[in-house]
Structures are given as structure tokens and as C-alpha cells.
Amino acid sequence: MHWALRTGLTLIIAAIGSFAISTLGIPGGMLMGGALTVSVAALSGFPATMPNGLRNVLFVCVGLSMGANVAPDTLQLIGQWPITLGALALELVVIVLVCGIVLRRLFKFDTGTAYLSSFPGHLSFIMALASTGVGNPRQIVIIQVQRVMFLTLFAPIGALFLPVGHYSGASTELIDMTTLAMVAAGCAFVGWVFTRLKMPAGYVLGSMACATAMKLTGFFDGALPPILVDLTFVGMGALIGSRFAGMTRAEFMQAAFGGTVSTAITVAITTAFALGVSFFVSMPIGQIWLGLSPGGLESMGALGIALGYDTAFIAAHHVARLLMLTIAIPLVVVLVKGREASALRP
């Protein structure tokens, strides 16, 4: 099947799921529905795909949407961020230690697989290290993708029990098309520059930085067209679900149980930290949870838009998480290799 046809069918499947789930009134249902239907189709054998070019366009749209939804009082609340960033650092340590021990002792994963599967994020970096002989790459990718999928599916359901966000920076008046085109072009360029500089999630962060700067300096103040936001959610759902393509059901089931348990543990730890932090900062607990969540920047940023939370806060904490993991992951890999070498010595 030609890649263009596969891409078109992937998007159609995502659109059907997105609009079906959105009729249930679940916050973020557009993103959730697309991810669910495409993942089911991929695990059933459909060759779901999202070309890199289209993926980058989606990332620019996510960053643009996040920048357009930056809260007006973000700068006033930055003083509270050290508290949440400190909680994030401690949370990451607890997640990796607890999940690594559970996967190693309860599910009998080897040490490398257990700990690389436990890191909440930075999948490309983790897979690069796994390809050097640390852990089982197939099991690691299944658990990591499963974590993002579960968070995308269940975070909107959890949001039904939380207060509605009140930090949305979007105006009720729509941005005019000329201004939108200029902002989008600027976002695409800055995203390209960030990517060339090897920054994590370059297109998302670059486009968000550009849109945020343009908004805070008064270049634009209108809301994005709802159709653009909806199409972005459909595309992101398709992208998340397509990551299951090529995995057999047998491979998936082999790692799925351990992945489900570790994801549940991760969510419980994140929720406990979010609840604790909420006593010290004046922010909606849902926003704190999305900032501390172990999901991908693109997915959690899209959910932040859908739920009306401050996207600058969410993005800043996910960037901090990626930077922390960039330092922590190689250290753990060195420790794992050292332990394996010691076990082989007579």
C-alpha cells in the first residue's frame, strides 16, 4: 500500500474516533478518540503511518496553539515555579526507582530493560542507548509508547472530576487569516532553527516560543480558528496511535502487563505529588498534574490547550523534565553496565 494512501487512511480512522469520542463531552476527546482508534487499528495489523513532514507540521500547530493559549498572568506566577520544579525532580527519582524495582523483581525484566522502561520520557534518547546493547529495545518501546497512550486516553477522563481550567489565554475574537499566516510562518521558522540546534521537541518548543513572544508583545490577540485546533488534535491522535504500527499482538502482550502496572504506579506517584504541591501554589491541580505528568510534551501540551490550562507552565516543566532525564539516563546506563560487568566477573 502506497505511503500516501496509508497516511490518508490513518487520518480518516483518527477523525472517526475523534469525532465519536468528542460527542461524549469528554475534555480532550478529539485527541483521545484519534489515538484510541488508530492504536487499535495498528495493533490489528493496519500499517498506520505519519510521515515526518506531516509530523513536523503537527508539531508546529501544537506549539502555535500552546503559544496562543499562554495565560496572561504567567509572568506573575513564575515565582511559584521553583516549588513545582523541585517537586518534579524528586518525583522523577521516585518514579524511576519504584518502577525499575517492580519491573525487575515482579516481572523479571533484566536490569537494563527495567530501568530504561521506567524513565518517563525522552524515548528517542532511550532507544539510542538501548540499541547499544542495554536492555530489550522492543519491550522498552512498547512500555514507553503504552505510557503515553494511557495518559492521553485517561487524563481527559480524570479531568471530568477536576475544576475547569481558568488560565486559557485565548480571546473570544478569532485571529484574522493574514496575521495567522504570518504567525504560523514565524513559528515554522523558529521551530526549524530549534530543531537544527538539536533542542528536544524543537518544532514544538520553537513554534511555541515564537507564538508566545508575538502574543505577549501584542502582535496578535485573537483565538485560533476552532477547525485548526480540531485538525491538530486529530493529527496528534493519529501520530500517537501510529507508534504501535509494526508491533505484533504477541509482542505487545509480552510487555503490556508490566507496562500497565508501571504506568499505574507512575500516575499514582504523579497524582500524589500534584496533590502535595497544590497546597503550596495557587494553581489548578489539573494544571499542576499536566506539568508533572510523565507524558510527552506534544500530547500533554495538546491536553493543556483542550482543558484551558496555562500552556507556558506545562511546557516549561516538560522541558525541565527532558533536561533532567538527559543527565539522569546516561548515569543509570553506566551503573547498569557496571553492574552487568561485575556479574560476569568470576
Side-chain angles (χ1 to χ4, degrees):
M1 189 185 299
H2 193 270
W3 68 267
L5 178 58
R6 288 191 288 126
T7 302
L9 290 175
T10 301
L11 290 171
I12 290 172
I13 293 171
I16 293 172
S18 293
F19 287 103
I21 297 296
S22 66
T23 60
L24 301 177
I26 298 175
M30 296 286 287
L31 180 67
M32 173 184 176
L36 177 61
T37 51
V38 175
S39 63
V40 171
L43 289 173
S44 299
F46 174 71
T49 187
M50 290 291 285
N52 289 340
L54 181 56
R55 180 201 64 187
N56 293 338
V57 170
L58 287 171
F59 287 170
V60 169
C61 289
V62 170
L64 170 59
S65 301
M66 292 173 70
N69 281 272
V70 167
D73 52 357
T74 291
L75 297 178
Q76 300 173 17
L77 295 173
I78 287 179
Q80 299 181 24
W81 289 11
I83 298 174
T84 52
L85 288 171
L88 174 64
L90 181 58
E91 173 198 274
L92 292 178
V93 173
V94 175
I95 286 174
V96 173
L97 284 177
V98 174
C99 290
I101 291 172
V102 168
L103 290 175
R104 187 162 56 89
R105 295 186 178 177
L106 183 60
F107 295 96
K108 307 303 180 184
F109 283 24
D110 64 85
T111 303
T113 301
Y115 284 102
L116 286 182
S117 297
S118 301
F119 280 106
H122 231 331
L123 179 59
S124 59
F125 189 25
I126 289 172
M127 294 313 298
L129 291 173
S131 65
T132 65
V134 181
N136 184 322
R138 296 293 284 182
Q139 289 183 329
I140 293 170
V141 75
I142 289 172
I143 292 174
Q144 290 284 1
V145 172
Q146 187 180 19
R147 170 180 51 81
V148 176
M149 170 62 68
F150 281 0
L151 288 169
T152 304
L153 295 181
F154 295 116
I157 296 175
L160 290 173
F161 304 96
L162 295 173
V164 177
H166 58 277
Y167 283 90
S168 177
S171 167
T172 55
E173 182 179 348
L174 294 181
I175 184 173
D176 67 86
M177 290 299 101
T178 302
T179 303
L180 175 59
M182 294 174 65
V183 174
C187 288
F189 175 73
V190 178
W192 176 81
V193 171
F194 274 39
T195 301
R196 296 285 292 179
L197 294 175
K198 306 298 183 183
M199 296 189 68
Y203 275 106
V204 178
L205 292 179
S207 55
M208 180 183 175
C210 179
T212 300
M214 287 185 170
K215 180 171 183 179
L216 294 180
T217 55
F219 185 83
F220 77 97
D221 191 38
L224 299 182
I227 184 64
L228 174 61
V229 178
D230 287 345
L231 289 175
T232 300
F233 287 163
V234 170
M236 282 301 302
L239 176 62
I240 294 168
S242 68
R243 289 171 175 162
F244 285 105
M247 296 180 188
T248 65
R249 274 175 284 186
E251 286 178 320
F252 178 77
M253 293 306 299
Q254 183 179 7
F257 189 37
T260 300
V261 172
S262 64
T263 300
I265 292 172
T266 299
V267 169
I269 293 171
T270 301
T271 302
F273 271 86
L275 286 170
V277 169
S278 68
F279 289 103
F280 300 96
V281 297
S282 56
M283 302 178 192
I285 188 171
Q287 176 177 301
I288 299 170
W289 195 94
L290 283 179
L292 300 182
S293 73
L297 169 61
E298 304 87 1
S299 303
M300 296 302 105
L303 281 176
I305 297 166
L307 299 174
Y309 293 132
D310 182 5
T311 49
F313 173 86
I314 295 170
H317 284 67
H318 280 273
V319 171
R321 174 172 58 88
L322 293 175
L323 293 175
M324 293 174 190
L325 292 178
T326 300
I327 298 171
I329 293 171
L331 291 177
V332 171
V333 169
V334 170
L335 292 175
V336 168
K337 284 187 173 182
R339 178 173 177 171
E340 291 175 346
S342 298
L344 292 174
R345 293 194 192 107

